[in-house]
Amino acid sequence: MSIKRTGGRVLVDNLVAQGCDRIFHVPGESFLAVLDALHDTPSIDLVTCRQEGGAAFMACADGTMTGRPGVCFVTRGPGATNASIGVHVAMQDSQPMLLFIGDVDRGMRDREGFQEVDLPAMFAPLAKWATRIEDARRIPEYVARAWNVATSGRPGPVVIALPEDMLCDVVEAVDRPKVERQATYLASGTVQGVVSCLRRAERPVAIVGGAGWDIATGAAFGYFARSWGIPVAGAFRRQDAMRNSDRAWAGNLGYGPNPKLVERIKQADVILAVGARLGEATTDGYTLITPDHPGQVLIHVHPDPGELNRVYRADIAICADPCAFAIEIVTAEFPAHPLPAGAEAHADYLEWSTPKRREGVALDLGQCVAAMREAMPPDTIICNGAGNFSSWWHRYWRYEMQPSQLAPTAGAMGYGVPAAVAAALRFPDRKVVAVAGDGDFLMNGQELATAVQHDADMLVIVVDNSAYGTIRMHQEREYPARLSGTALRNPDFTALGRAYGCWAETVEKTEDFAPALDRALAEDGVRLLHLKTDVEFITPATTIAAIRSR
């Protein structure tokens, strides 16, 4: 199309051409021309949020679920700085995202005008690409390039500043066709080298997750792992990479993993890492697997060549999408008999992920997760931010579909509720649960208003121990009994939920949780369960008293 249009109209038309069907935003006067164009664009669902950090988290989560960039619009200055947390998460989580920021007029720049920030400079270290569009005629070029950058190699965020006056320019612009993600192909003999290495191995282990995983990848890789008898561990917060019911699934790495799985990783002679960056959380500070891994062979498969041999020395480095690798390796000849380790590791996982009743605790979160597993379908999407509360779901929930875990590997608080809003809108036929600690919830709890306004169907579980629990745990370990700055005085979360228009109920005892959950699931719309817990029981495995005693 080359008829004259405003820059805002050109931008929206080209987002539609690339496949954008939803935009998360907080409105600003700096991009009114875009909002005006969206008024006449029914193919894009415009989700109006209450804070830019929540909007950016929603876009990040949407990109995680679809594999195409989640799209967010915010205004300059305060809007941009609020939204930066979502860019950081999208980068560390390898998720495609586009953040458009309304900017000052071109003629006002470098005067420190109202809310002015040098946006490309600010976001350059946070994003895959940060830029500014100066000429409305080039909008199609920038949008197509941004879409390609966000989805290629290791996916990630792109930030584009939009001068307000540029969006109002009336220009002739030639739209770009849809950009397709470029498939990767394995060189001849690549998989055969991996197979030869695995045939010689006595104790191989796979670590999976990260960029490029989908249902087909998980299914193909699961078939391969079962046929070989290779235990498969999920990287930190990548537990939905493969069905947890798969007979080769060994559990998750990260914080609080199964000690038997940790020992299995330490004793492995071959480590096959597919899609995972082997980051700090997954490797326990680069100690579970060291960058030089003496005595171990590392086969590293990743879609971005810049990630291979960046931190870890790879004995075999393969630049490929996990899907391409998984589909290729299942065609290799399997051994006559699988190793017993796969089934043994899965048995260890089943035992580890079965909650045992804890004595002396009024509300046992392990039993709450068990009740959820009984009452909710296996394709339920669990969304959480950061905090010790999440460790109960990481350990005891069994993820059975991709995507079904929306959780930031960057460890950002406040992610769960916005992610759940995005999930409820993207998958209205699936159950969606936001799990949030009390500190975590109040960082983006205002997005309950967004959920109610946009008719989201979701359950919110607020785990309230009146503390920043993770920091309290570290504080007790380093400075026992010297409590400082981690206690919280909270509102009545049930009353707060009702004020937003949610169905809400408080739970204080284990035996009351399952009936309350049933009542919540019988309702429509946004439901909130306020779980009052004891900070003494700080993780599924330990207590404050035990930490102090050490």
Side-chain angles (χ1 to χ4, degrees):
M1 184 183 297
S2 61
I3 61 172
K4 286 192 172 184
R5 295 167 286 169
T6 65
R9 180 75 261 169
V10 174
L11 178 57
V12 170
D13 287 346
N14 278 270
L15 285 173
V16 171
Q18 295 302 330
C20 172
D21 62 358
R22 179 165 290 133
I23 290 173
F24 304 93
H25 83 117
V26 175
E29 70 273 20
S30 57
F31 60 96
L32 288 176
V34 174
L35 294 178
D36 183 69
L38 287 168
H39 181 273
D40 301 316
T41 311
S43 60
I44 292 182
D45 177 28
L46 184 63
V47 179
T48 302
C49 307
R50 299 308 179 99
Q51 204 260 12
E52 292 88 355
F57 277 154
M58 290 182 202
C60 180
D62 201 48
T64 302
M65 292 181 286
T66 64
R68 61 178 185 265
V71 180
C72 179
F73 276 79
V74 301
T75 198
R76 59 199 175 227
T81 51
N82 282 343
S84 65
I85 188 172
V87 176
H88 176 61
V89 169
M91 189 68 198
Q92 290 221 328
D93 283 37
S94 303
Q95 306 300 359
M97 174 185 174
L98 300 185
L99 175 65
F100 292 95
I101 305 173
D103 200 2
V104 298
D105 284 2
R106 287 165 293 188
M108 299 291 184
R109 194 175 304 145
D110 298 328
R111 291 176 172 174
E112 198 181 343
F114 182 63
Q115 299 182 340
E116 182 181 1
V117 174
D118 186 343
L119 296 168
M122 172 186 167
F123 283 97
L126 295 179
K128 283 190 75 176
W129 181 39
T131 189
R132 178 187 286 113
I133 302 178
E134 302 282 7
D135 185 345
R137 292 170 297 183
R138 294 184 62 188
I139 288 174
E141 171 194 339
Y142 276 90
V143 171
R145 179 179 171 187
W147 204 271
N148 182 62
V149 170
T151 57
S152 63
R154 175 187 170 188
V158 172
V159 178
I160 301 179
L162 306 168
E164 183 176 356
D165 59 324
M166 183 276 297
L167 291 174
C168 296
D169 285 349
V170 178
V171 298
E172 288 188 2
V174 180
D175 294 341
R176 289 283 181 98
K178 185 175 182 179
V179 174
E180 300 293 347
R181 191 171 192 271
Q182 298 301 307
T184 59
Y185 300 94
L186 277 69
S188 177
T190 300
V191 167
Q192 191 54 48
V194 174
V195 170
S196 297
C197 184
L198 292 175
R199 289 195 189 281
R200 295 191 299 270
E202 296 179 359
R203 299 176 304 280
V205 174
I207 301 174
V208 301
W213 276 85
D214 56 19
I215 294 174
T217 308
F221 197 86
Y223 181 73
F224 153 76
R226 289 193 306 274
S227 301
W228 283 76
I230 298 176
V232 181
F236 177 54
R237 290 182 167 172
R238 303 296 196 186
Q239 292 167 251
D240 63 349
M242 213 172 85
R243 288 183 181 273
N244 294 181
S245 59
D246 194 293
R247 295 191 305 276
W249 182 254
N252 62 293
L253 297 173
Y255 302 115
N258 185 349
K260 290 184 178 180
L261 175 58
V262 170
E263 187 60 26
R264 198 175 290 277
I265 299 290
K266 290 180 177 179
Q267 297 301 320
D269 55 355
V270 173
I271 295 172
L272 173 59
V274 184
R277 290 195 301 118
L278 299 178
E280 179 185 352
T282 296
T283 62
D284 191 18
Y286 307 101
T287 61
L288 178 58
I289 308 166
T290 63
D292 289 308
H293 49 87
Q296 294 179 318
V297 172
L298 174 62
I299 304 169
H300 200 177
V301 183
H302 198 276
D304 195 324
E307 199 60 45
L308 298 169
N309 287 303
R310 176 187 175 196
V311 176
Y312 280 85
R313 175 187 60 80
D315 296 280
I316 301 177
I318 301 173
C319 185
D321 288 328
C323 188
F325 176 81
I327 290 173
E328 186 72 20
I329 202 165
V330 295
T331 64
E333 183 180 353
F334 297 150
H337 302 287
L339 294 168
E344 292 168 357
H346 186 60
D348 291 341
Y349 161 73
L350 292 177
E351 195 280 331
W352 176 254
S353 62
T354 300
K356 313 298 189 297
R357 291 189 178 275
R358 298 180 79 174
E359 296 298 326
V361 54
L363 181 56
D364 186 341
L365 289 177
Q367 297 307 309
C368 293
V369 179
M372 287 177 60
R373 279 174 26 188
E374 288 292 322
M376 305 190 74
D379 68 348
T380 296
I381 302 173
I382 305 292
C383 313
N384 63 265
N388 273 13
F389 68 90
S390 65
S391 59
W392 275 269
W393 278 263
H394 291 347
R395 177 169 173 176
Y396 297 126
W397 186 264
R398 294 174 182 171
Y399 298 86
E400 284 296 298
M401 189 173 185
Q402 203 281 334
S404 61
Q405 183 181 40
L406 295 177
T409 67
M413 296 180 70
Y415 181 90
V417 171
V421 175
L425 297 179
R426 182 58 62 188
F427 294 107
D429 57 333
R430 292 173 63 182
K431 298 294 185 185
V432 175
V433 181
V435 184
D438 43 355
D440 180 75
F441 175 77
L442 281 178
M443 290 198 176
N444 269 317
Q446 77 283 341
E447 300 306 336
L448 287 182
T450 304
V452 171
Q453 178 175 338
H454 291 274
D455 298 318
D457 189 5
M458 55 188 265
L459 171 65
V460 179
I461 296 177
V462 180
V463 180
D464 176 8
N465 62 6
S466 297
Y468 284 119
T470 302
I471 311 308
R472 170 73 182 276
M473 177 184 69
H474 294 315
Q475 189 174 63
E476 294 284 4
R477 186 188 64 226
E478 302 296 332
Y479 306 98
R482 293 179 58 81
L483 183 62
S484 175
T486 53
L488 295 174
R489 182 173 178 178
N490 288 321
D492 181 338
F493 287 111
T494 296
L496 184 62
R498 290 171 180 163
Y500 277 112
C502 311
W503 178 96
E505 193 170 307
T506 301
V507 180
E508 299 186 55
K509 296 180 180 179
T510 304
E511 59 269 25
D512 294 337
F513 177 79
L517 178 64
D518 288 341
R519 288 190 290 273
L521 295 177
E523 299 288 332
D524 294 322
V526 186
R527 294 88 84 195
L528 185 148
L529 289 176
H530 175 198
L531 275 54
K532 290 189 174 182
T533 65
D534 186 349
V535 71
E536 172 64 22
F537 298 91
I538 195 67
T539 76
T542 193
T543 63
I544 294 290
I547 294 171
R548 285 180 180 176
S549 70
R550 289 198 294 267

